[in-house]
């Protein structure tokens, strides 16, 4: 009998095992591990950005524990595209296995190289192109062009003796893509004819009905905004969205505005894109930021990062009036040509309000069609299922609500309900004799990067941060004669993050003194027991007096 | 010369002064103060719910400082409707002036009474009805029916010698309202004929194009969902949205499901609504929660609070599998028939994912039309401006982005651009000789309620909480001989919210010891200076070693 919550039994000969170490049950840190004939293949290795209940953390990595004893068994790491949630954790995996072959398209590998350079790494890169086939160990890979919100994304078909697997990566079906590079539905149909045994499908937009408008419909909207602007224009968008930036550049050129790039990642990525021919920059369009500041307001346009309201970004600083070079003036036009990632609303609208307060006109997704998604919604996913006609389906890239919605779409197109496997991170799915099923679970946790170190911040530190962030702390320090248990000086009681009132804790001092007299009278000399007694009495007092729950931190110094 | 950032000059005779103490430049804690002939009138007195940068706070009140020396000058407090952001702070104002006449419609005053009872207050209530006129001091008030997401909302016209003012409160123009009570556009037009000198207009949805669909279109959507359900159905919505609940009850009755109300505020408010005739409950429809738990799954329906993902709400507990009575089972249907208030996305989708993981089908605003807004978007606001034809406009109830959008709509209908006054909280607007203009500013801050006390948590405490929540703290405690400055025991160094690694701070101890030798050698005996030196050396070490910024808390005990 299979227990879905225990480690799985050995993989039957000829079977294929699939485990996501990240990206299922969450949006981000995508990483899927395949196992066949004793060898491993990894698809993507991204990071996740922390939420409110993970305060102070910079990044969250996939949990490598399930593969860290088998690093030498990995034949290749395949990257479907260059977004952070697909490549961001690669340097951390390369630290464990520096010679791992990293497979991807030209633009994807260029972005990865730039990232690895910052980590002083020099990875082994294997560039592939659309339609190419290539074997790594027992894995026969075939790559298919897919359309997404970054150029040069691919889906990967994986052929083994266990059957044919297709992994979409992130995907949409823009039928008029800006670069003419369509998602290769014809290729998917050919795979469907051959027979796809397991289909791993992007779930991000599965709850959304219908279709995504073509990216090229953003251009005329931008044109309409920029044409009317008679002061400065600032367009913020994702630093990897080459096609969005392309349309901004084209409109800028049309209205005789020169363009300055603002933000380190924007400058870096657009440099790479232009060099590789993914971004076409009209001669003399770009201008240095300092030079742009000297030009008339109606002759420049800034393309900036900060579209998600990141507090340190250039745009946020402008909104607070703190940017070193650019100060917003009445009549300026700011366009947020970007999605609004759930959880960032307060930050983004904080920026919008700051800009509006300074007199700028702010155009964003909420009041104009300046963004289209990069992920197929329900209508497009149906096209995918009908092209591929898979026998087994495993929704990936999404929270539970997305996975369930995607599963329902698969069933609606005729996939048998018990052949749609909803797994979350760590759940082991085995494809054996053409049937996919859950065979167990490996342990998968959150691995936090905070500053320079990885993994030392864990759930206990985060839960302390949550308590401290909600209520602050009250520290009580007492020096105690270690032989008698008598306080040798008056206790100090102080709070941080507790109250602005300097007298708020006065009453607590006498309570602590009374408690110390009691412990001394009872002959208690053990620091730990004295600390416990002090914590209890102060905790009870603050709960009754203020109905608050600060952290109570007693320190007893034996002298 | 007027300085818009200084306190205003005395109000000219015959003029009317308007100051918002909350609700402009933010969504919530609405409170507008009018002054004329030495007397004051207050419209609404609500609370604001805290955001991420205000951690641990329960509520935010309007800042009463501008009126607290003039409480006896207030002739009346008018409440436009019963939502928390309009009535939530009334008990705090009544504490300062218990005999203040509180004016409102029947349902509004019933909700206020219930709230005041919890605060053991017995306010002086003045019930008014639609179309009624009534004078308070120099203010001639006239009340107009308006449609909103709660029954019995009103707009108020204020006649003084300075002119005619109309304040919409929260408003929309549902042309087929469930209770047949239309927003009194005819009345507004009559005021327009008379001549409206100043129009204060709800800005909440001014950025949204078009019109709100009628509330009654939610019914068929609910019917479609509930008809198909063969297990339990749980509908979550706002506890004051009587018409939404009415439609749920009607569909439940149609499909022979009995209804149990879940959540304290839902039970309380629907009790009031039913008693006053605003909610029509078919005989025998309601069933006690305990009894409902014993009934077949397809014969019950639960109407619950928790639609905003509030962590302690019934629905959140169900999603975590922690509800005392209701455990979610595969096949259950949950409907979130509610808006998604910006900032609550993570919490709400956390609940949706939790329910989906347990196998429930979750219907929400993102995948079905189960919610309509309670505020007029741009299309409806144009109708309002054209009916009222005001000479001066002051957008209220909104963030800067909403105020700017609303101002643009006023101008589009023909209001002179310099007669549209965008003020934020504390900005003083004077209507003198038929012209409204900013005359100065009074100080308005955030007043925080945290637990039992009001006002002792301020910006300094919140900024400490933010630092502690991001990085925790490192406490260093040293007992020092006060005459020599020599440490009498080894220093203790401990962190909370800093690292899970017990050895993370080992290195800091020897640094502190070295620093103490140095201060001792330099003859430093002053605790404060020793503390500073210790803080500096530990702060520098942790920044270099970890690139983190915990709070550094040195305590020097002189013994």
């Amino acid at each position: 009998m299979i227990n879905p919550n225990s480690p799985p039994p050995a993989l039957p000969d000829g079977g294929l095992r699939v485990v996501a170490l990240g990206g299922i049950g969450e949006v981000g840190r995508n990483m899927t591990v395949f196992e066949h004939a004793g060898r491993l293949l990894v698809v993507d290795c991204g990071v996740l950005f922390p939420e409110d209940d993970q305060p102070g953390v910079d990044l969250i990595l996939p949990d490598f524990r399930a593969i860290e004893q088998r690093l030498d068994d990995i034949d290749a790491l395949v990257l479907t595209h260059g977004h952070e949630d697909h490549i961001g954790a690669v340097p951390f995996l390369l630290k464990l296995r520096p010679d791992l072959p990293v497979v991807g398209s030209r633009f994807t590998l260029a972005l990865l190289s730039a990232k690895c350079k910052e980590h002083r790494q020099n990875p082994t890169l294997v560039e592939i192109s659309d339609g190419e086939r290539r074997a790594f160990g027992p894995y026969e890979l075939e790559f298919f062009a897919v359309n997404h919100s970054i150029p040069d994304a691919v889906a990967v078909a994986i052929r083994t003796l266990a059957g044919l697997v297709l992994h979409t990566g992130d995907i949409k079906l823009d039928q008029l893509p800006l670069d003419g590079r369509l998602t290769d539905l014809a290729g998917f149909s050919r795979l469907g004819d051959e027979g796809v045994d397991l289909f791993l499908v992007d779930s991000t937009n599965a709850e959304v009905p219908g279709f995504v408008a073509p990216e090229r419909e953003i251009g005329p909207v931008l044109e309409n905004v920029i044409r009317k602007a008679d002061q400065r224009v600032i367009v913020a968008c994702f630093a990897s969205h080459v096609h969005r930036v392309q349309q901004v550049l084209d409109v800028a050129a049309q209205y005789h505005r020169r363009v300055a790039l603002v933000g380190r990642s924007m400058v870096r990525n657009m440099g790479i894109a232009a060099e590789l021919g993914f971004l076409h920059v009209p001669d003399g369009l770009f201008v240095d930021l300092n030079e742009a500041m000297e030009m008339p307001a109606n002759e420049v346009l800034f393309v900036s990062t900060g579209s998600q309201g990141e507090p340190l970004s250039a745009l946020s600083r402008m909104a607070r009036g703190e940017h070193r070079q650019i100060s917003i003036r009445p009549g300026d036009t700011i366009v947020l040509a970007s999605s609004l990632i759930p959880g960032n609303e307060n930050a983004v609208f904080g920026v919008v309000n700051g800009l509006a307060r300074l007199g700028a006109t702010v155009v964003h997704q909420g009041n104009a069609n300046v963004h289209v998604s990069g992920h197929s919604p329900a209508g497009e996913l149906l096209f995918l299922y009908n092209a591929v006609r898979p026998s087994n389906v495993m929704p990936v890239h999404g929270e539970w609500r997305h996975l369930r919605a995607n599963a329902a779409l698969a069933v609606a197109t005729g996939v048998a309900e018990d052949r749609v496997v909803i797994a979350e991170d760590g759940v082991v799915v085995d494809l054996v004799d053409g049937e996919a099923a859950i065979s167990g679970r490996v342990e998968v946790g959150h691995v936090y990067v905070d500053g320079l170190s990885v993994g030392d911040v864990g759930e206990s530190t985060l839960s302390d941060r949550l308590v401290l962030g909600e209520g602050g702390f009250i520290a009580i320090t007492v020096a105690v004669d270690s032989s008698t248990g008598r306080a040798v000086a008056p206790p100090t009681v102080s709070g941080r993050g507790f109250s602005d009132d300097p007298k708020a804790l006065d009453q607590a001092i006498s309570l602590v003194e009374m408690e110390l007299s009691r412990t001394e009278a009872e002959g208690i000399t053990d620091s730990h027991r004295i600390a416990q007694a002090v914590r209890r009495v102060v905790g009870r007092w603050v709960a009754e007096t203020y109905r608050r729950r600060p952290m109570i931190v007693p320190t007893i110094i034996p002298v």
Side-chain angles (χ1 to χ4, degrees), chain A residues 197-224:
Chain A
D197 297 288
L198 178 61
F199 190 26
L200 291 85
V201 188
D202 179 8
S203 309
T204 312
N205 267 347
E207 281 195 311
V208 180
F211 296 78
V212 182
E215 171 67 27
R216 65 173 65 217
E217 290 188 8
I218 305 291
V221 179
L222 290 173
E223 205 222 296
N224 193 33

Side-chain angles (χ1 to χ4, degrees), chain A residues 300-336:
Chain A
V300 285
L301 182 151
F302 302 88
V303 177
S304 171
T305 54
S307 64
Q308 294 304 310
E310 303 90 333
L312 299 179
S313 69
L315 196 67
S316 287
R317 280 193 241 119
M318 292 177 214
R320 293 192 301 264
E322 292 170 5
H323 193 268
R324 208 161 42 85
Q325 287 153 301
I326 306 177
S327 57
I328 299 298
R329 293 185 295 241
D332 285 347
T333 301
I334 290 103
V335 184
L336 300 181

Side-chain angles (χ1 to χ4, degrees), chain A residues 402-444:
Chain A
H402 308 123
L403 304 176
R404 287 238 181 262
N406 201 357
L409 294 170
V411 171
T413 62
V415 181
E417 204 163 337
D418 58 346
R419 297 272 73 83
V420 180
V421 184
I422 302 193
E424 58 188 348
D425 293 346
V427 168
V428 180
V429 176
D430 288 348
L431 175 68
V432 178
D433 298 332
E435 295 203 348
I438 291 173
S439 66
R441 184 190 281 267
V442 297
E443 217 179 311
V444 169

Side-chain angles (χ1 to χ4, degrees), chain A residues 213-419:
Chain A
E215 171 67 27
R216 65 173 65 217
E217 290 188 8
I218 305 291
V221 179
L222 290 173
E223 205 222 296
N224 193 33
V225 170
I226 293 170
R227 177 171 43 81
K228 286 190 279 195
D230 57 0
Q231 297 291 315
R232 288 181 305 190
V233 175
I234 301 167
V235 182
C237 70
F238 279 113
S240 59
H241 205 320
V242 176
H243 295 161
R244 190 69 47 85
V245 173
Q246 181 70 62
Q247 298 190 88
V248 177
L249 301 190
D250 293 346
V251 178
Q254 185 183 347
Y255 290 96
H256 311 293
R257 287 178 183 261
R258 296 188 69 194
V259 173
L261 301 177
V262 184
R264 204 176 58 89
S265 57
M266 185 65 78
V267 171
R268 188 192 72 180
N269 292 356
M270 292 309 137
I272 293 171
E275 194 189 313
L276 299 183
F278 290 97
L279 182 74
H280 307 286
V281 186
D283 277 349
L285 185 74
F286 279 159
V287 61
D288 172 80
L289 182 56
N290 289 316
E291 204 178 322
M293 295 310 299
E294 306 295 315
M295 292 174 59
N298 63 352
E299 294 180 13
V300 285
L301 182 151
F302 302 88
V303 177
S304 171
T305 54
S307 64
Q308 294 304 310
E310 303 90 333
L312 299 179
S313 69
L315 196 67
S316 287
R317 280 193 241 119
M318 292 177 214
R320 293 192 301 264
E322 292 170 5
H323 193 268
R324 208 161 42 85
Q325 287 153 301
I326 306 177
S327 57
I328 299 298
R329 293 185 295 241
D332 285 347
T333 301
I334 290 103
V335 184
L336 300 181
S338 51
S339 67
L340 187 42
I341 296 178
N344 294 349
E345 287 81 2
N346 284 343
V348 171
F349 287 131
V351 168
V352 172
N353 286 321
L355 296 167
R357 192 171 188 274
L358 294 168
T361 300
V362 189
V363 178
H364 57 87
Q365 211 193 345
N367 57 21
N369 296 322
V370 288
H371 175 70
V372 296
S373 172
H375 301 270
S376 281
E380 297 183 12
L381 291 172
L382 294 174
F383 272 80
L384 282 176
Y385 284 118
N386 287 328
V388 175
R389 295 149 282 162
S391 22
N392 298 276
V393 167
M394 183 172 159
V396 295
H397 303 175
E399 301 167 7
W400 269 92
R401 60 194 176 107
H402 308 123
L403 304 176
R404 287 238 181 262
N406 201 357
L409 294 170
V411 171
T413 62
V415 181
E417 204 163 337
D418 58 346
R419 297 272 73 83

